């Protein structure tokens, strides 16, 4: 059967199904609708290459997800609006596999804002960042410098978020396109919370906000992000795997404490 015959056979079958009352077509496997092609209207005039009825296939225009994210983020006037705009954002595939949207925890008025990577399994279940083993270690680290996410006063409080609000499958590291797509929301999050100091936990937030990785070299060195002093540190999950690095993490916590005093 040539391709034109296949087309008319398929079309007749489809029309028959519609007559029987079928309204929706579903498949056995999921469809990535962002990668779909657009079928242009059937041309009116026939040519030898394109007989009447031959659909013309063209590639769908690519969605500029970071640009859409930027527009959505910029229109958010406060943290609640930002959370709503992120939850309504449909261009990050991770959203489909995640159980929860994880926005933030702690005190938004805190002097210190901590940026992690992405929710893990526990965070995905709880809908809050840093609640698993790494989060418990983070709480103990903060306690050691008399700080914590539950503190009411801005001086002792921290505000916590992640680069990504949805859990990547099997806790894999976020990829570059996911980071770039969600970065406008993170930048807006920082602008709206307006902390005095930013702490970046591990490579992913360094990649997002500084454009580079290499936490072993970068940790402990104060840099500037969005006009604010910023301290890259080892991620608590790394410290769980490499307890020897807690010495450096302690030095960084003391540096943070000294900066807050100064
Ligand atoms: N690791 C992160 O970076 N963020 C979380 O919320 C949990 C684990």
């Amino acid at each position: 059967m040539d391709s034109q015959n296949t087309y008319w056979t398929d079309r007749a079958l489809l029309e028959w199904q519609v007559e029987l009352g079928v309204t929706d077509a579903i498949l056995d496997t999921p469809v990535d609708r962002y990668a779909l092609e657009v079928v242009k209207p059937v041309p009116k005039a026939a040519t030898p290459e394109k007989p009447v009825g031959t659909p013309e296939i063209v590639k769908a225009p690519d969605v500029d997800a970071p640009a859409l994210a930027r527009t959505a983020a910029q229109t958010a006037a406060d943290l609640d609006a930002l959370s709503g705009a992120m939850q309504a954002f449909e261009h990050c595939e991770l959203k489909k596999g995640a159980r929860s949207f994880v926005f933030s925890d702690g005190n938004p008025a805190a002097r210190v804002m901590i940026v992690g990577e992405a929710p893990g399994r526990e965070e995905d279940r709880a809908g809050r960042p840093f609640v698993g083993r790494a989060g418990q270690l983070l709480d103990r680290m903060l306690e050691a410098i008399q700080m914590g996410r539950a503190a009411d006063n801005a001086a002792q409080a921290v505000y916590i978020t992640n680069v990504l609000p949805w859990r990547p499958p099997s806790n894999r590291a976020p990829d570059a396109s996911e980071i770039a797509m969600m970065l406008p929301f993170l930048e807006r999050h920082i602008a709206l919370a307006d902390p005095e100091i930013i702490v970046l936990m591990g490579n992913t937030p360094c990649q997002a906000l500084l454009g580079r990785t290499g936490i072993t070299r970068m940790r402990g060195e104060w840099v500037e992000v969005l006009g604010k002093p910023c301290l890259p540190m080892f991620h608590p999950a790394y410290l769980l795997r490499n307890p020897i690095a807690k010495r450096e993490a302690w030095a960084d916590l003391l540096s943070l404490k000294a900066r807050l005093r100064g």
Side-chain angles (χ1 to χ4, degrees):
M1 204 184 282
D2 67 26
S3 62
Q4 222 193 325
N5 276 340
T6 309
Y7 171 75
W8 287 113
T9 309
D10 289 350
R11 188 172 171 150
L13 282 170
L14 195 60
E15 279 166 1
W16 179 66
Q17 289 181 7
V18 170
E19 258 178 40
L20 289 180
V22 172
T23 54
D24 289 294
I26 56 168
L27 301 173
D28 293 336
T29 49
V31 177
D32 178 1
R33 296 188 187 282
Y34 300 119
L36 286 184
E37 292 172 319
V38 171
V39 179
K40 268 196 172 174
V42 175
K44 289 263 171 9
T47 63
E49 301 79 38
K50 286 184 193 161
V52 172
T54 308
E56 192 183 337
I57 309 289
V58 291
K59 186 85 184 86
D62 286 336
V63 174
D64 185 348
L68 295 174
R70 193 158 297 284
T71 307
Q74 272 161 3
T75 51
D78 56 29
L79 292 173
D80 278 348
L82 182 68
S83 169
M86 290 172 75
Q87 287 177 74
F89 187 70
E90 298 294 345
H91 301 284
C92 183
E93 288 292 309
L94 297 176
K95 179 179 181 179
K96 295 180 185 146
R99 188 186 287 203
S100 306
F101 167 76
V102 179
F103 185 62
S104 69
D105 198 17
N107 184 343
R111 293 176 67 191
V112 176
M113 181 165 179
I114 295 175
V115 184
E117 180 175 296
R121 195 180 49 170
E122 305 304 325
E123 290 76 19
D124 187 41
R125 286 214 177 115
R128 285 172 60 212
F130 282 102
V131 294
R133 280 185 70 223
Q136 288 158 23
L137 176 57
L138 175 62
D139 285 339
R140 291 200 297 277
M141 289 161 65
L142 293 169
E143 247 174 60
I145 53 166
Q146 297 79 49
M147 297 187 77
R149 63 176 105 186
D152 288 333
N153 61 325
Q156 289 183 304
V158 295
Y159 182 57
I160 305 176
T161 192
N162 283 309
V163 174
L164 300 182
W166 296 291
R167 180 194 183 198
S170 318
N171 290 357
R172 66 158 170 77
D175 70 29
S177 70
E178 290 158 352
I179 293 174
M181 187 184 300
M182 300 309 289
L183 179 60
F185 290 117
L186 176 60
E187 289 179 344
R188 185 74 182 146
H189 203 158
I190 293 169
L192 289 170
D194 196 21
E196 273 173 50
I197 289 175
I198 301 168
V199 174
L200 305 180
M201 289 293 180
N203 271 320
T204 298
C206 291
Q207 169 75 59
L209 291 165
L210 302 173
R212 59 203 163 96
T213 56
I215 193 66
T216 309
R217 272 171 289 111
M218 290 161 69
R219 59 138 285 275
E221 294 292 329
W222 286 89
V223 287
E224 206 180 275
V225 161
L226 306 172
K228 296 174 186 295
C230 169
L231 181 65
M233 287 186 60
F234 284 134
H235 193 288
Y238 175 83
L239 297 175
L240 288 172
R241 294 191 304 272
N242 301 278
I244 193 91
K246 285 183 182 170
R247 208 172 46 162
E248 279 89 7
W250 177 238
D252 297 346
L253 288 170
L254 293 179
S255 174
L256 171 64
K257 190 74 179 170
R259 188 93 183 204
L260 285 164
R261 278 202 206 99

